[in-house]
Amino acid sequence: MSILVAIITLTVISTIFGVLLGYTSVKFHVEGDPIVDKIDALLPQTQCGQCTYPGCRPYAEAITSGEAGINQCPPGGEATMLALSDLLGIEPVALDEEHADEPQKTVVYIDEQICIGCTLCIQACPVDAILGAAKQMHTIIENECTGCDLCIPPCPVDCIHIKTVKPEQDTWRWSLPASTETAPKA
Amino acid sequence: MTEYALILISTIWVNNFVLVKFLGLCPFMGVSRKLETAIGMALATTFVLTLSSICSYLVNQYILVPLDIIYLRTIMFILVIAVVVQFTEMVVHKTSPVLYNVLGIFLPLITTNCAVLGVALLNTQEGHGFLQSVFYGFGAAVGFSMVLILFSGIRERIAAADVPEVFQGTAIAMITAGIMSLAFMGFIGLVN
């Protein structure tokens, strides 16, 4: 008897809840996905397609469906990625390498086997970061190099190469705050 | 009046659900990486905990006890909590997009939060009346929110700190939670 009461009660209550939820989902149905509009509003609307989607709205839809990451918009850069991560409540991720245009710190180095000691690069260097004398092998003072690459074109033997430097513990700096002003339109 | 104040103090500080009773650890670890998400989760949990302790009290008092089927408590409470949360989510989604934006993502998550079921079961176990149940649920939620927000604040600082490699990530978070728990053990004996 007792077991019958339990079964009936549970069945009745489950049915009531099921009907209630079913009714609510019809009654309170929300048209479309409002989140796509919100994501679309955050994107720069350049329709550049660098995210591999045919425009900003398709990219927004791809983000919503989980197909695309939030880090594929080069024109928006880090600011857009952070805004998206705030909106969607997901962790900020580094900009995708393929789509990134954030400048990376680079320095140059001289392949000393090839260097002929012509001093042309020394004259080109604006910060005196190249050490050497005529007919002597040159070398680059890495700490002084700004990565301007001005020494590369004058080199007659193409012995100067670019390499990227990862920030170390003592060279890492806070990134500069993004400017809130927009450039005047030409 | 003092009785209710004591229930609040007890659930917030002395018998804190996360740090003393070790309930609801999953969102405590999972959603505490950013302060904003932690605040959203805290608000949603407060809402659900209070609501579910009311509903589970009513179900227990007016359905389970009269029919003498209190052994169905656990399954009934799970059912009631899930339905209430789902129902609220749908209504909020339609009526208030702003509120849905704050709570929406977290509401379904909370359904499976063991603190919610824990509060409902503890309420019946300790024989709380209606108002007592409400305050117990609300106090538990405030305690949970406070600890979650404090913890996420600490974790944001840890993220910027120079943590030794072996302790990075979850390890240092676990250690931090342990130390917070130790600190909260200091309240034991204040009230029951």
Side-chain angles (χ1 to χ4, degrees):
Chain A
M1 193 58 216
S2 160
I3 191 83
L4 214 61
V5 173
I7 292 173
I8 291 169
T9 318
L10 211 55
T11 318
V12 168
I13 289 182
S14 307
T15 318
I16 293 173
F17 282 157
V19 170
L20 179 75
L21 280 187
Y23 176 73
T24 332
S25 70
V26 174
K27 176 90 180 163
F28 291 91
H29 180 68
V30 179
E31 285 298 327
D33 201 347
I35 198 78
V36 173
D37 289 323
K38 284 183 190 154
I39 295 175
D40 197 34
L42 287 178
L43 295 173
Q45 302 304 325
T46 49
Q47 319 295 348
C48 63
Q50 288 180 70
C51 50
T52 68
Y53 293 92
C56 291
R57 179 132 196 128
Y59 180 42
E61 280 160 10
I63 294 179
T64 318
S65 66
E67 196 181 315
I70 56 170
N71 56 350
Q72 299 182 2
C73 183
E78 198 172 356
T80 298
M81 186 276 294
L82 288 175
L84 286 175
S85 97
D86 261 344
L87 174 71
L88 304 171
I90 48 184
E91 289 291 305
V93 279
L95 284 182
D96 200 328
E97 287 285 327
E98 274 175 51
H99 311 285
D101 69 342
E102 297 279 316
Q104 273 188 314
K105 168 129 176 79
T106 59
V107 293
V108 291
Y109 70 97
I110 293 177
D111 190 339
E112 292 165 356
Q113 302 294 321
I114 307 175
C115 179
I116 53 171
C118 66
T119 73
L120 286 177
C121 57
I122 298 184
Q123 293 156 31
C125 183
V127 292
D128 283 344
I130 304 181
L131 206 64
K135 301 275 169 75
Q136 305 288 319
M137 172 184 85
H138 301 345
T139 195
I140 285 168
I141 308 166
E142 209 173 284
N143 288 344
E144 300 291 328
C145 179
T146 58
C148 67
D149 300 343
L150 286 177
C151 50
I152 297 177
C155 181
V157 291
D158 287 335
C159 68
I160 304 179
H161 307 289
I162 301 171
K163 67 173 176 187
T164 56
V165 269
K166 290 255 163 64
E168 296 289 327
Q169 203 163 31
D170 47 349
T171 58
W172 185 83
R173 296 275 176 276
W174 285 103
S175 53
L176 294 171
S179 171
T180 49
E181 291 166 28
T182 46
K185 283 190 180 127
Chain B
M1 204 59 233
T2 5
E3 187 196 3
Y4 300 123
L6 279 181
I7 288 183
L8 281 183
I9 293 174
S10 161
T11 46
I12 297 175
W13 300 100
V14 185
N15 294 314
N16 189 290
F17 265 69
V18 179
L19 294 179
V20 179
K21 287 199 197 297
F22 303 115
L23 288 169
L25 284 175
C26 174
F28 181 66
M29 277 297 166
V31 208
S32 58
R33 232 170 270 169
K34 271 173 74 190
L35 196 55
E36 292 97 75
T37 49
I39 291 172
M41 183 71 180
L43 287 175
T45 311
T46 310
F47 180 74
V48 171
L49 265 179
T50 315
L51 200 65
S52 70
S53 55
I54 294 174
C55 294
S56 53
Y57 174 82
L58 293 178
V59 166
N60 185 58
Q61 194 66 24
Y62 296 108
I63 297 178
L64 297 186
V65 173
L67 292 176
D68 199 24
I69 42 171
I70 41 176
Y71 54 86
L72 283 181
R73 222 177 244 158
T74 311
I75 192 166
M76 205 59 132
F77 284 177
I78 293 176
L79 183 67
V80 168
I81 292 166
V83 167
V84 166
V85 172
Q86 197 64 44
F87 180 77
T88 326
E89 197 213 345
M90 283 195 278
V91 173
V92 169
H93 195 172
K94 179 76 176 180
T95 51
S96 164
V98 183
L99 193 63
Y100 181 77
N101 215 13
V102 181
L103 305 183
I105 324 161
F106 304 109
L107 278 177
L109 265 179
I110 298 166
T111 319
T112 52
N113 185 342
C114 57
V116 179
L117 187 62
V119 166
L121 288 175
L122 283 173
N123 266 332
T124 50
Q125 216 172 66
E126 302 192 4
H128 284 155
F130 181 70
L131 267 183
Q132 281 173 321
S133 299
V134 176
F135 273 89
Y136 195 77
F138 182 69
V142 172
F144 177 84
S145 307
M146 179 190 66
V147 168
L148 185 68
I149 292 171
L150 282 179
F151 189 56
S152 73
I154 296 175
R155 278 187 87 171
E156 283 199 346
R157 291 201 152 206
I158 288 176
D162 184 17
V163 179
E165 205 171 324
V166 281
F167 288 131
Q168 274 172 13
T170 316
I172 190 74
M174 292 284 187
I175 293 170
T176 314
I179 294 173
M180 280 181 84
S181 177
L182 273 183
F184 269 73
M185 293 290 179
F187 288 114
I188 279 180
L190 193 64
V191 280
N192 275 323

